[in-house]
Amino acid sequence: MSSYLNIESHRSMVFDAVRNTAYARAIRDAVRPGCTVLDLGAGLGIHGLLAAAAGAGKVILLDPSPVVELAADIARKNGISGQVEIIRKSIAEVDSLAPVDLIVSVFAGNFLLSEDLLPYLFSARERFLKPGGAMIPGMARMKAALLCAGEYYEKHVVRWSQPILDVDFSPIRRFAANTIYYDSAATVGGQLLSQPVQLQALDFTTAKVAECRSQVEIPVERSGTCHGLLGWFDLQLGDAWLSTGPDAEPMHWSVAFLPLDPPLELTVGETLQLELDRPEFGEWTWTVTRGAQRQRHSTFGSNLADLSYFKKISPDRAPSLGRKGEFAMLVLSQLAAGATVAELTALVKSRLPELAEHDPQLDKRIRNLIAEWGAEVV
């Protein structure tokens, strides 16, 4: 089940005064009396409710999570329920919607692309935004800088090379060195060895693909040990820019630390080449070149997927159902046949007695499948 079902998971977003104040200014400037606003991924609806308070004629709060229904209570409490419509669906599930004047979203993950939300924003823009309509945010810029952060690097990378109770865990270090660490700038700490460089600018009003294919040069401005790259993004909210970088006021967004193993000893005046690649729904790859020296890291190398996984998904392979697939197929076929939950559970247990005997969470797994794939109850 989604973590966003838990109200606590919304705390950092609702009470993010820095972000929400910046959004509120942009929303007030963009909203025209009587206009229609779509709040994508609304959650508890703070940005859509701000649009209603700013004079929007209609605000649509769209989110697949049940928490969005609580926004109706919040709207009533604030005397704006007549302007607010709740749609508890994902963007892909919405068949049609009257064109809107403004789309508001917070579909930027850490380092902009990490949660793969932007492709859904672009889909909604193409389907629901009026010609000439506005978007908040309208653009984003990805940035990076060289970072000296010995203490953080020691904790997350080097520590694996130090025996624990005489047990050598050093084979794990390569996984740690290919992991991106999302944390607060204060926790990562350290010192920048370069000025930030812009990796790319992404215009949300026209972009078709949410990816990064960047090649930039980074001049070294401070001598020191480079333990990796620090990455972040800036958002354009109306006429202003909101930065999630190390010098910005803290928000719920995190900066990204991309390690280099081994670290590089840098001298003022050098220039490094950085390549950063990240396809939609794919892995991050960062490559740093310094003269003849080249270091390449990828989050692909932090995953534990084995050869059997890639064999299963090979385009030339004709796959068959495994035990988990047989279980899911049985549950879903009975769901389609109209069985009650009690009948379905009893049938699964009779057909798969070994699961009933050995899986203490079988009932829960059946309920989760029903909740995920069953039709909505009106």
Side-chain angles (χ1 to χ4, degrees), residues 239-282:
D239 295 329
W241 285 87
L242 177 68
S243 175
T244 65
D247 295 328
E249 292 186 74
M251 287 176 279
H252 79 281
W253 279 306
S254 301
V255 296
F257 175 66
L258 294 71
L260 293 175
D261 194 26
L264 299 174
E265 294 297 331
L266 302 181
T267 304
V268 172
E270 292 186 82
T271 297
L272 275 60
Q273 286 74 44
L274 167 65
E275 298 176 43
L276 182 68
D277 291 295
R278 208 278 187 170
E280 282 190 343
F281 308 102

Side-chain angles (χ1 to χ4, degrees), residues 141-163:
R141 301 184 297 214
M142 295 178 65
K143 296 183 176 181
L146 303 174
L147 181 69
C148 175
E151 186 175 338
Y152 194 81
Y153 188 85
E154 181 81 18
K155 176 180 178 180
H156 292 280
V157 179
V158 177
R159 187 67 181 93
W160 289 104
S161 295
Q162 300 167 345

